[in-house]
Amino acid sequence: MSRAAEGVHILPYSRVVGQEDLKLALELNHVVPRIGGVLMAGPRGTAKSTLVRAFALMAHDELPVTLPINATDDRVLGGWDLHALIHGEALPRPGLLEEADDKGLLYVDEVNLLDDHLVNIILDVVSTGVLSVQREGLATAKHLSFGLVGTMNPEEGGLRPQLLDRFGLMVAAGQLDPAARRYMIRTVLDFEEELDRSHSDWLTAAERDDTAVRERLTAARHRVPHVRVPDEIVGLCADAADRVEAVGQRGEIVATLAARALAALEGASEVGPAHLRRVLPMALRHRRPETGHGVVLDWGTEDDARVGELFETV
């Protein structure tokens, strides 16, 4: 167990039950950070926070840097160390974005309740890799790199379409069926029981499986620059975006990046139609015209049928 995980009672990533779309989105964004972050939407109690923290421990050996809803500009961007200023010394104080650069992942829970201008700044840094601060006598520009995950409960309000579009992928947390619910309950009970044991084969096996996932992600990161994207896939992606009337061009670019990441994860040398079709809902669902009215609909059978027609003859 890593030093960061000592005393941290988070269900291992490889033991989180269900939510396969959420897991895949996190993994794709890790393999290709240029995707630009993951937004998870779903009701409370659907393991969104647990999954993000478990993923961070698995992938980075660290819990994610968590951005509180009431975070100030100084706390996010950095500013002056007030204690040092009181004693007549001007020392810059790093913000949460720099901390995320060190730890690998920034987690914004209830991102829909965060001030819009802070969300925009964070998304700018993720997109450009540069944090530029010019305020209160402080002028800095730093290169930062970290993964971004936001979670939200749509029942508590949405995000403006302009901000939704800035998240690379959007996934919806689903409800577990009865069999999966039973398996989830048993898994959580076993986990809590095993924590009290001086030696646990269960926890050892979970850590071994987490290590295998991390190694698979690392291998995919190294492999992805060599994965070819055929013109056929580029055409399919553009046509799919047109079919669902995706606003702007960010969606098809992200879909292509995500499909390439998925191909790398599966050890393929080039992106195939199945890779693209698997990631299209994640890349396009929040870029349809409906989001302009503050509504984010599930990717339904009608959407799937419109896109599916393109793949029938491939």
Side-chain angles (χ1 to χ4, degrees):
M1 185 175 289
S2 70
R3 59 180 177 83
E6 292 290 345
V8 178
H9 297 165
I10 300 292
L11 188 69
Y13 179 74
S14 58
R15 296 300 182 267
V16 177
V17 177
Q19 307 301 355
E20 298 306 317
D21 281 355
L22 274 61
K23 293 175 185 175
L24 179 59
L26 289 172
E27 293 175 13
L28 297 177
N29 189 65
H30 182 80
V31 172
V32 180
R34 284 180 54 216
I35 284 172
V38 177
L39 177 61
M40 298 179 175
R44 60 187 180 277
T46 47
K48 299 187 300 295
S49 296
T50 296
L51 188 56
V52 174
R53 295 186 176 105
F55 180 84
L57 284 173
M58 178 276 296
H60 302 288
D61 282 335
E62 296 273 7
L63 285 171
V65 175
T66 302
L67 189 73
I69 296 176
N70 60 352
T72 62
D73 287 14
D74 282 352
R75 189 71 188 97
V76 176
L77 305 175
W80 297 110
D81 188 311
L82 294 181
H83 180 76
L85 283 176
I86 291 173
H87 293 84
E89 189 176 3
L91 288 178
R93 178 189 177 187
L96 291 173
L97 298 187
E98 291 181 62
E99 188 178 339
D101 178 61
D102 180 57
K103 293 190 174 182
L105 189 66
L106 179 69
Y107 173 40
V108 187
D109 192 15
E110 297 182 315
V111 65
N112 50 322
L113 304 182
L114 192 67
D115 193 279
D116 279 358
H117 93 277
L118 279 179
V119 178
N120 206 37
I121 289 171
I122 293 167
L123 291 167
D124 270 341
V125 174
V126 171
S127 175
T128 65
V130 177
L131 171 63
S132 179
V133 179
Q134 296 185 17
R135 54 195 297 269
E136 299 172 353
L138 189 66
T140 63
K142 299 181 179 179
H143 291 276
L144 304 181
S145 177
F146 53 85
L148 172 66
V149 182
T151 58
M152 59 180 279
N153 182 350
E155 296 173 358
E156 299 172 346
L159 275 173
R160 290 191 295 110
Q162 295 89 335
L163 296 179
L164 276 175
D165 180 56
R166 300 291 300 278
F167 278 94
L169 303 175
M170 181 179 182
V171 284
Q175 295 290 349
L176 302 182
D177 62 31
R181 285 176 182 261
R182 289 192 291 271
Y183 184 37
M184 177 272 295
I185 294 169
R186 175 53 57 195
T187 300
V188 171
L189 290 174
D190 289 346
F191 173 61
E192 293 181 348
E193 290 174 3
E194 296 296 328
L195 288 173
D196 295 328
R197 301 182 187 277
S198 57
H199 174 75
S200 168
D201 291 337
W202 192 96
L203 291 175
T204 299
E207 185 174 358
R208 183 173 60 246
D209 290 345
D210 273 12
T211 299
V213 175
R214 182 168 61 249
E215 290 174 350
R216 183 170 65 93
L217 293 176
T218 300
R221 265 190 157 184
H222 292 145
R223 188 184 300 119
V224 75
H226 308 290
V227 174
R228 197 172 70 87
V229 182
D231 289 341
E232 171 194 32
I233 297 299
V234 173
L236 272 174
C237 190
D239 290 343
D242 183 64
R243 284 287 181 96
V244 299
E245 301 178 13
V247 178
Q249 282 69 59
R250 200 190 308 269
E252 47 261 54
I253 294 172
V254 169
T256 306
L257 294 174
R260 198 179 193 191
L262 180 56
L265 277 170
E266 295 184 353
S269 60
E270 70 175 34
V271 177
H275 300 128
L276 179 62
R277 187 165 186 183
R278 179 69 177 90
V279 303
L280 278 175
M282 302 178 184
L284 299 181
R285 72 192 311 152
H286 53 308
R287 297 184 167 97
R288 293 170 298 173
E290 295 90 333
T291 59
H293 304 289
V295 178
V296 179
L297 302 176
D298 288 336
W299 185 269
T301 54
E302 184 178 339
D303 297 294
D304 205 50
R306 280 191 289 175
V307 169
E309 291 175 357
L310 297 170
F311 292 83
E312 290 177 357
T313 58
V314 177

